[in-house]
Amino acid sequence: MIERLDLMVDIETLGNEMNSTIIQLACVPFDIETGAIYEDETFNEIADIEKNETALEVSASTLKWWLETDKELFTRLLNSGSLSTEDIIRLFHRQVKEWQSRAGIKNVYLWGNGILFDNQMIKYQMEAIGLYYPIPYKNDRDVRTILELASAKSGVAEREIKDKLGNGVNDHNAINDVLYQINYVSECYRYLTSNTEELKQ
């Protein structure tokens, strides 16, 4: 049995409320002590929102934000999906349970940026379709918290840590954001839990 398995999740949505339409959900399991990812177990699903079973919320301000931030990516996401948002939630629930079957429920941790958005929205939408949230409440983890702690200890600004250690693309494509966050979160974790005197150069 794996002693610990960390999951980094990221969602792209059409709003900020818990019942907002999720258009992309990505998750990658990783080793928090080394930063190694399990590429063959990557979860990355994009929704076809025309197939949604319920009337999930769409925010005008979020649509405007997407069009002003990256219209090309937004268009690509909207035209790439094949499953409803609800089906993506069901698939993710099944995938988390599979990871837990190998590592043990208490040994699987879900990281979100932060937990009151990504994790909480996933939890809300799982429960809305009759599924229980499989992550124990003690195992939700917040990307923003570990970043703040590493910044406070090192004296290095949060933005600088992300720029230096992210080592990837941070572009509102959920799978890219997941990989970007894994890079700096794992380094922050090693820095905070070891005798290392400074963050990786």
Side-chain angles (χ1 to χ4, degrees):
M1 179 177 289
I2 300 171
E3 291 187 6
R4 174 181 179 133
L5 185 63
D6 289 83
L7 310 174
M8 183 66 72
V9 71
D10 191 76
I11 57 177
E12 300 301 337
T13 73
L14 299 183
N16 296 321
E17 300 300 324
M18 290 299 100
N19 64 337
S20 296
T21 301
I22 294 174
I23 58 172
Q24 185 183 18
L25 194 162
C27 186
V28 175
F30 68 104
D31 184 326
I32 197 164
E33 294 184 356
T34 67
I37 64 171
Y38 302 89
E39 287 187 77
D40 58 337
E41 299 190 50
T42 295
F43 183 95
N44 182 29
E45 294 290 343
I46 301 169
D48 178 350
I49 61 175
E50 289 186 335
K51 294 182 178 178
N52 283 358
E53 303 159 19
T54 56
L56 295 168
E57 181 176 321
V58 175
S59 163
S61 61
T62 302
L63 289 177
K64 182 179 179 182
W65 177 88
W66 269 110
L67 293 173
E68 292 175 347
T69 302
D70 196 331
K71 182 178 179 179
E72 182 179 341
L73 172 61
F74 184 47
T75 302
R76 190 163 68 248
L77 289 175
L78 288 178
N79 291 315
S80 298
S82 60
L83 301 172
S84 69
T85 295
E86 294 89 352
D87 280 340
I88 287 173
I89 294 293
R90 292 184 182 100
L91 283 176
F92 183 60
H93 183 272
R94 188 182 310 156
Q95 181 63 72
V96 171
K97 294 296 294 177
E98 184 178 322
W99 284 321
Q100 288 175 330
S101 71
R102 297 204 305 274
I105 293 174
K106 294 181 179 180
N107 298 326
V108 175
Y109 299 82
L110 185 66
W111 291 80
N113 189 32
I115 60 171
L116 291 180
F117 188 78
D118 298 69
N119 300 38
Q120 187 65 23
M121 190 179 295
I122 290 168
K123 179 178 185 293
Y124 178 93
Q125 296 201 20
M126 281 183 177
E127 292 175 347
I129 57 174
L131 300 173
Y132 68 93
Y133 184 60
I135 302 297
Y137 72 92
K138 293 182 179 180
N139 289 22
D140 278 309
R141 292 292 184 266
D142 195 330
V143 168
R144 295 173 185 171
T145 300
I146 197 170
L147 180 61
E148 180 185 6
L149 292 173
S151 175
K153 181 180 177 182
S154 66
V156 178
E158 293 182 22
R159 181 73 261 172
E160 187 177 343
I161 292 173
K162 292 169 75 172
D163 289 343
K164 181 167 69 171
L165 303 176
N167 190 30
V169 179
N170 180 221
D171 64 356
H172 305 296
N173 183 327
I175 189 62
N176 291 340
D177 291 352
V178 161
L179 297 173
Y180 178 81
Q181 289 162 193
I182 286 172
N183 285 332
Y184 69 78
V185 164
S186 59
E187 184 59 33
C188 287
Y189 180 86
R190 290 195 295 273
Y191 171 67
L192 291 168
T193 59
S194 70
N195 294 323
T196 304
E197 295 185 359
E198 60 184 21
L199 291 167
K200 185 190 298 180
Q201 297 298 315

